[in-house]
Amino acid sequence: MAVIVATDNDFNNVLNSNQNVVVKYYADWCGSCRLFAPKFKRMSDEEVFANVAFVDVNAETSPEARKLAGVTNLPFFAVFRSGKLVDTVAASKEEAVRDLINKLTV
């Protein structure tokens, strides 16, 4: 599945129209964010995550979406179930993000 790019304008709509959502918060200047982008895209295509919507949010241009997850560092990942925040992690390790997403599948 393609990674959805969301902004403050459509973030709540994306959360409410998908049961399970993982959000990657990034900034254009963030090197670790750029390095993680291909991993995030690859994970979005994996069959095991077929029921999870993968979303990219620019943390600098979408302050309301950033506040919903309490972003503290970049890259920052948050998982939402039925529009509600489940858990977050500030990490650039794929294993940490996989562990976070797996919280949606239990």
Side-chain angles (χ1 to χ4, degrees):
M1 179 186 298
V3 175
I4 301 163
V5 178
T7 65
D8 276 352
N9 295 334
D10 57 2
F11 187 69
N12 283 325
N13 187 40
V14 170
L15 287 184
N16 293 324
S17 59
N18 295 283
Q19 169 134 9
N20 296 311
V21 178
V22 58
V23 182
K24 174 177 64 109
Y25 294 90
Y26 71 95
D28 293 333
W29 51 261
C30 172
S32 295
C33 300
R34 284 197 302 276
L35 289 172
F36 201 89
K39 296 174 190 173
F40 197 65
K41 169 67 176 113
R42 187 177 66 248
M43 289 173 14
S44 76
D45 291 332
E46 291 181 20
E47 187 65 35
V48 68
F49 298 135
N51 68 336
V52 178
F54 283 68
V55 179
D56 268 347
V57 171
N58 186 320
E60 289 192 309
T61 59
S62 297
E64 295 305 314
R66 184 178 69 231
K67 283 182 208 164
L68 275 177
V71 174
T72 57
N73 208 340
L74 296 174
F76 190 91
F77 300 86
V79 287
F80 294 84
R81 181 182 295 119
S82 302
K84 303 284 186 240
L85 181 64
V86 174
D87 203 359
T88 64
V89 66
S92 53
K93 298 243 186 282
E94 187 172 341
E95 184 178 331
V97 177
R98 286 181 177 279
D99 289 346
L100 181 70
I101 297 170
N102 284 331
K103 293 180 180 186
L104 292 173
T105 58
V106 290

